[in-house]
Amino acid sequence: MSENINIPAGNSLKMLLVSTSNGIVLPFGKNVCGFDVLTDNVFDCRMTVGSGASVEFLAMALPGADFRMNLRVELAGTEAGFRLGGLYLCPDAENADMDIEVFHKVPGCSSRQMLRGIVSGTAKAKFHGRIIVEPDA
C-alpha cells in the first residue's frame, strides 16, 4: 500500500501503525474513525506537512511477522513539525526494516525520531534514516 498524505497548514494528524501476524492495522486520527488492514506487512507513505501543521506517528511491530516501513516526510511550511516513535519486538526469525527520510524545506521546522526494539534468535532489524535540511532552512 502506498499512501500520500497532505497535512494542510494549521492541522494535525496523530497516526498509529501496528504490524501483527495478521497484517498491518492502521487506525487513523485522534479518535479511531476507521482502519485498513495491509496483509503484506509493507507500509509505504509520503507525507507533506504545511505551515504550523504537525504529525505524531507511532509505529509498532509485534512478534510473529516481518515488517517493512518506507516513510518520506516533507516539512514544507514554517513551524511544521514531525514526531516519530517506534517499537519493534522480534523474538524469533522476524525481519523489521525501516527506511525513513525527513526533508526540512523551510526555516523553523522541527522533527524528532525515537525507535527502540528487541531482537533475538535469528531475527534481524534494519534502520536507514536521513534528515535533509535545505540550505536556507
Side-chain angles (χ1 to χ4, degrees):
M1 171 185 183
S2 182
E3 286 283 328
N4 289 309
I5 300 173
N6 182 38
I7 299 88
N11 286 278
S12 64
L13 173 67
K14 293 184 180 190
M15 189 171 178
L16 171 66
L17 177 147
V18 182
S19 175
T20 70
S21 58
N22 295 322
I24 294 177
V25 179
L26 296 166
F28 287 95
K30 195 172 188 178
N31 298 311
V32 177
C33 58
F35 65 90
D36 293 323
V37 176
L38 312 175
T39 56
D40 61 359
N41 279 20
V42 176
F43 180 70
D44 187 11
C45 183
R46 276 124 181 87
M47 293 183 185
T48 303
V49 185
S51 294
S54 65
V55 175
E56 292 181 35
F57 184 84
L58 176 61
M60 296 176 16
L62 301 179
D66 291 341
F67 167 68
R68 176 146 180 83
M69 177 171 65
N70 302 313
L71 183 60
R72 306 288 178 268
V73 179
E74 183 175 306
L75 300 173
T78 58
E79 297 184 21
F82 174 73
R83 284 185 168 201
L84 170 67
L87 171 66
Y88 51 91
L89 303 173
C90 304
D92 295 315
E94 302 89 348
N95 291 302
D97 192 353
M98 294 144 285
D99 187 357
I100 301 162
E101 289 185 322
V102 179
F103 298 87
H104 289 248
K105 295 288 193 176
V106 297
C109 300
S110 65
S111 64
R112 292 178 188 247
Q113 299 177 38
M114 181 177 293
L115 291 103
R116 297 284 188 251
I118 299 173
V119 178
S120 65
T122 60
K124 295 179 184 174
K126 298 177 191 173
F127 174 79
H128 307 276
R130 289 189 337 161
I131 297 174
I132 297 100
V133 180
E134 296 290 327
D136 294 332

